[in-house]
Amino acid sequence: MNLKSFDIVIVGAGPAGGHCARILAQSGHKVLLAEQNDNFNKNDFSSAATPLETLSKFDLPESVIGSFWHKLTIETSKVSQSWESPESLGVVLNFAKFREFLASEVERFGGEVWLGYRYTGHSPAKGETTVEFKQLSDGQVIKVGTKVLVDATGFARAIMYEKEKDKPDFLSGTGIEYLIEVEPEVYNKYSGDLIFFLGDKWMPKGYSWIFPMEQNRLKVGAGRIFLDPKTVRHLSPLKKYIDLLIDEYLKSKNYQIIDKHGSTLKYSPGLKDIYCINNIIAIGDSVSTVNFLGGEGIRHGMDGAEIAGKYIQRYLEGKISDFRDYETEMHRKFDKKWNISERLAVRKYIDDVNDELTDKMISYLKYMKTEDVMGILFYYKFEKISRGLGGYLQRKIKGLIKRFHL
């Protein structure tokens, strides 16, 4: 029996997989985007806050926006600081609609999207690769052929590593988020505000957040970073800290939980993931394309997908014979910023910087302009912390950065 054949098979319809499939389908290639969930409302795991420029950079429509935000707030156990702009600074994406949009784009450009198909294996066959899926609705096994296979399976890294023991060491994180419906007066108070919570009161060895969504809906979540599950056994469940935000911070008495979702993050220190093997290439969280300090990955995964797409097209055109240059370019783009973020994350979440130092850092940030705080949080411009604050505060900030071992 002849297998259906594609130029590219992409496994995983997250931001990286969906965007990569969209690019390649638009370029005229025969693309299959396969996703194990049978609809995009399942595993709606991302908090999905992003700067405004993400919309124009990746040509995203207003239909994927949950809300706009114009204010940033950081709460610690004792300190509260906010920065505002008269204009919108960013959006919170509706993650399900966002991924659904990318998939619809793939189909619009002539590609195929298969939902409810779980990847089960691959093997070389006559110059191509045979990829096997199990259709979850009836258990049927489907095989297809492809010239290029793309691992966009996220933290599972299901294609690049056949056995768990072959994977590199990871820094790990886990998070849970509630989508809740609140009273109009509660929603209106926080509707334009992106709020982050640090410190032992709100989330030991991690951080928590409240993000606005559609009318009267808020995302309330908590995430924890750890080296080993043993390190968190003595800590309270994440649910406790989500309930604390709802009850003590929002003071919502009649909220309704619309959805609960969560995810795991596995980040390779020093970016030691396998990026490619022969005609197989990995993108997104499968190669740790995420800011481990803040857990933000959508923009970076899509950036990496564009880099990968460029090399996949060259490979299909016969201009290159492997993807080694893709790995080189990814390291050149991400190594420096990820190294700093990684070290800060380990210092803050794992080595457990005390609340007093956290309070001091946030207190000093109040002297900074909104655009500078945006630069630190979303563009990793940590040098801005010590720039332009005056002599005394500059010396204080530099001293604190040294204590973070930067």
Side-chain angles (χ1 to χ4, degrees):
M1 182 180 75
N2 291 328
L3 301 179
K4 190 168 189 177
S5 189
F6 296 88
D7 295 326
I8 308 107
V9 170
I10 298 174
V11 182
H19 188 49
C20 191
R22 173 199 196 189
I23 293 167
L24 293 167
Q26 188 174 11
S27 298
H29 297 291
K30 192 174 182 182
V31 177
L32 169 61
L33 176 64
E35 165 63 37
Q36 66 176 349
N37 293 298
D38 59 9
N39 70 74
F40 288 108
N41 288 312
K42 291 185 177 178
N43 203 22
D44 187 13
F45 57 83
S46 177
S47 52
T50 192
L52 199 59
E53 69 165 22
T54 300
L55 299 177
S56 57
K57 182 175 183 179
F58 299 112
D59 195 18
L60 300 179
E62 195 163 322
S63 62
V64 306
I65 298 171
S67 68
F68 289 88
W69 49 271
H70 61 89
K71 183 179 179 181
L72 280 166
T73 297
I74 299 179
E75 301 275 358
T76 73
S77 298
K78 295 181 179 179
V79 176
S80 176
Q81 296 295 344
S82 293
W83 300 265
E84 291 190 66
S85 169
E87 308 294 333
S88 293
L89 294 170
V91 299
V92 180
L93 299 175
N94 182 311
F95 195 60
K97 289 182 179 179
F98 164 59
R99 290 180 297 149
E100 187 175 22
F101 164 73
L102 292 177
S104 70
E105 288 280 273
V106 174
E107 293 179 324
R108 183 167 75 89
F109 294 126
E112 294 189 29
V113 178
W114 293 3
L115 299 180
Y117 285 77
R118 189 178 71 229
Y119 165 83
T120 55
H122 70 275
S123 58
K126 297 180 181 178
E128 289 191 344
T129 294
T130 298
V131 188
E132 184 178 285
F133 297 97
K134 184 176 182 180
Q135 191 172 356
L136 299 185
S137 60
D138 59 11
Q140 183 180 358
V141 174
I142 308 291
K143 294 183 179 181
V144 299
T146 186
K147 297 172 185 174
V148 176
L149 177 59
V150 180
D151 187 345
T153 62
F155 74 88
R157 294 164 169 83
I159 297 174
M160 301 310 292
Y161 301 91
E162 291 187 9
K163 298 177 181 178
E164 195 68 26
K165 67 179 180 63
D166 296 332
K167 295 179 180 179
D169 292 331
F170 294 121
L171 294 170
S172 298
T174 185
I176 296 175
E177 184 177 71
Y178 292 4
L179 177 64
I180 63 173
E181 191 163 299
V182 298
E183 304 89 332
E185 59 270 23
V186 174
Y187 178 78
N188 292 336
K189 185 176 180 180
Y190 300 107
S191 60
D193 199 353
L194 212 62
I195 313 172
F196 298 91
F197 298 83
L198 301 171
D200 286 349
K201 174 181 178 179
W202 301 114
M203 188 65 253
K205 290 190 176 292
Y207 64 98
S208 50
W209 61 90
I210 298 174
F211 294 169
M213 283 293 287
E214 293 88 352
Q215 186 64 35
N216 295 334
R217 293 187 173 188
L218 299 170
K219 288 183 173 183
V220 185
R224 177 178 287 144
I225 310 298
F226 52 93
L227 285 168
D228 187 289
K230 295 176 183 177
T231 65
V232 295
R233 285 179 184 168
H234 67 287
L235 297 176
S236 300
L238 294 176
K239 177 183 181 299
K240 170 188 172 181
Y241 299 99
I242 295 175
D243 291 341
L244 180 68
L245 291 179
I246 297 172
D247 297 337
E248 185 172 325
Y249 192 84
L250 293 176
K251 294 181 170 61
S252 177
K253 304 298 183 184
N254 300 302
Y255 69 91
Q256 289 185 314
I257 298 174
I258 307 301
D259 185 38
K260 295 180 182 180
H261 44 264
S263 186
T264 298
L265 173 66
K266 291 185 178 292
Y267 173 91
S268 171
L271 303 180
K272 308 234 183 277
D273 288 299
I274 295 175
Y275 284 75
C276 54
I277 304 173
N278 300 322
N279 67 330
I280 304 172
I281 185 170
I283 62 175
D285 284 359
S286 295
V287 283
S288 303
T289 314
V290 61
N291 165 27
F292 191 68
L293 178 62
E296 188 203 3
I298 289 176
R299 288 183 300 148
H300 314 307
M302 295 176 80
D303 266 338
E306 292 188 351
I307 295 171
K310 176 177 65 178
Y311 286 98
I312 290 169
Q313 290 192 64
R314 291 177 184 173
Y315 179 88
L316 292 171
E317 293 166 358
K319 295 179 179 179
I320 57 174
S321 58
D322 57 51
F323 295 118
R324 284 179 294 180
D325 289 344
Y326 160 67
E327 179 176 355
T328 301
E329 185 168 342
M330 287 288 284
H331 279 286
R332 187 165 58 243
K333 181 175 181 65
F334 292 111
D335 271 9
K336 185 176 180 180
K337 66 178 69 170
W338 276 193
N339 180 48
I340 296 173
S341 294
E342 173 192 321
R343 288 159 62 194
L344 274 171
V346 169
R347 183 80 174 112
K348 175 68 185 82
Y349 304 133
I350 297 172
D351 294 346
D352 207 14
V353 167
N354 61 51
D355 272 11
E356 182 183 358
L357 183 54
T358 300
D359 292 344
K360 286 181 179 179
M361 286 291 292
I362 303 308
S363 293
Y364 294 142
L365 290 180
K366 72 181 179 182
Y367 297 97
M368 302 186 69
K369 296 178 180 178
T370 300
E371 57 265 33
D372 289 335
V373 176
M374 285 287 292
I376 294 166
L377 293 179
F378 290 100
Y379 301 100
Y380 321 110
K381 296 180 179 180
F382 299 111
E383 72 278 2
K384 287 183 177 291
I385 293 176
S386 61
R387 187 180 296 167
L389 295 180
Y392 173 74
L393 284 176
Q394 192 174 80
R395 289 193 298 274
K396 282 284 190 180
I397 290 291
K398 286 182 177 179
L400 289 171
I401 290 176
K402 285 181 180 179
R403 292 175 68 181
F404 270 92
H405 300 303
L406 281 178

